[in-house]
Amino acid sequence: MPELPEVEALAAFLRENAVGRVVARVDLAGLQALKTFDPPLSALAGLEVTGAARHGKFLDLDVSGLHLVVHLARAGWLHWRTGLPAAPPKPGKGPLALRVHLDDGNGFDLTEQGTRKGLAVHVVRSPAEVPGVARLGPDALEVDRDTFARLMAGRSGQLKGALTDQTVLAGIGNAYSDEILHTARLSPFKMADKLTDDEVLRLHDAVRATLTDALQRQVGQRAATLKGEKRSGLQVHARTGLPCPVCGDTVREVSFADTSLQYCPTCQTGGKPLADRRMSKLLR
Ligand SMILES: [Zn+2]
């Protein structure tokens, strides 16, 4: 799932390659992806792309005051295309959800793999009209120490959930929350409102360091190479069974119904493995 660094890198890529071009046409191939009807998608045609920004994990293309706001969800991605075919795509087949043609013959595709479709496209006059954007907490890259401490103190629940709740803090998902908790040497199941002052500082520093490091590696990369760049920087996420690069212990996993988390017992839980959700309550 694209998180803050990937979406920021995509926005930077679009600022470089799409801003200044005029939208020639927008093809909707995955009907379920479009969540708004007024203004219509066709209203974008003939207008110049004037900016590209990020709100949490939402990508926002500013088209002369109209906004194409995209949430890529779990398996969505943006593919830059040079020399797009003129013929409109067949709706409903394959991963293509939306195609944006620019006036120079280039453009981009929004695609989504798999059968569970979550990719969402909105055409709005202001990004705040998108409910998910309106609900966002402060941006994870911009939140200062005091605000961060207040957010954690006001949250009764486990750290993993607090870091990934977009209404608390915007931009962090499953992968970077694993990485941040590993860097901060904190258990994913520790309660957010039970952190000591030192732990809050460590966690805030880890949020900054992890996201800044990922951003530095990714901004400037082409959309096609971003995913590989993300994977190469990970220390625990998606590395179950591999050695922790910090201490050499084996990275472990906790599975849930439709997701999982990874952590290092030596770095994060005093060497004790987290068996499952219920067991974890005994260990925190
Ligand atoms: Zn370790």
Side-chain angles (χ1 to χ4, degrees), residues 22-163:
V22 169
V23 173
R25 202 177 81 216
V26 184
D27 297 329
L28 182 64
L31 299 180
Q32 76 289 338
L34 185 63
K35 305 302 179 193
T36 54
F37 61 93
D38 178 32
L41 259 185
S42 58
L44 299 170
L47 299 179
E48 183 183 332
V49 179
T50 47
R54 175 189 63 78
H55 314 286
K57 296 187 274 187
F58 289 83
L59 182 64
D60 172 12
L61 194 71
D62 188 341
V63 187
S64 298
L66 289 182
H67 293 259
L68 182 72
V69 179
V70 177
H71 192 271
L72 291 165
R74 279 190 136 187
W77 198 245
L78 183 149
H79 300 268
W80 182 252
R81 302 281 310 266
T82 50
L84 276 170
K90 291 199 183 76
K93 294 276 173 222
L96 182 66
L98 189 89
R99 173 169 290 168
V100 175
H101 298 258
L102 300 174
D103 61 345
D104 59 357
N106 299 329
F108 59 85
D109 286 348
L110 298 175
T111 63
E112 187 173 32
Q113 302 295 336
T115 49
R116 264 178 56 187
K117 300 297 184 191
L119 187 146
V121 175
H122 311 78
V123 182
V124 288
R125 291 177 183 88
S126 158
E129 289 172 40
V130 178
V133 173
R135 283 195 299 265
L136 290 174
D139 193 77
L141 257 189
E142 283 163 21
V143 68
D144 61 58
R145 235 167 221 188
D146 291 346
T147 309
F148 183 78
R150 212 163 48 240
L151 290 171
M152 290 300 122
R155 163 92 193 194
S156 61
Q158 297 167 335
L159 278 182
K160 175 77 179 175
L163 288 178

Side-chain angles (χ1 to χ4, degrees), residues 232-244:
S232 72
L234 300 175
Q235 303 212 297
V236 287
H237 184 73
R239 297 190 74 249
T240 306
L242 295 170
C244 166

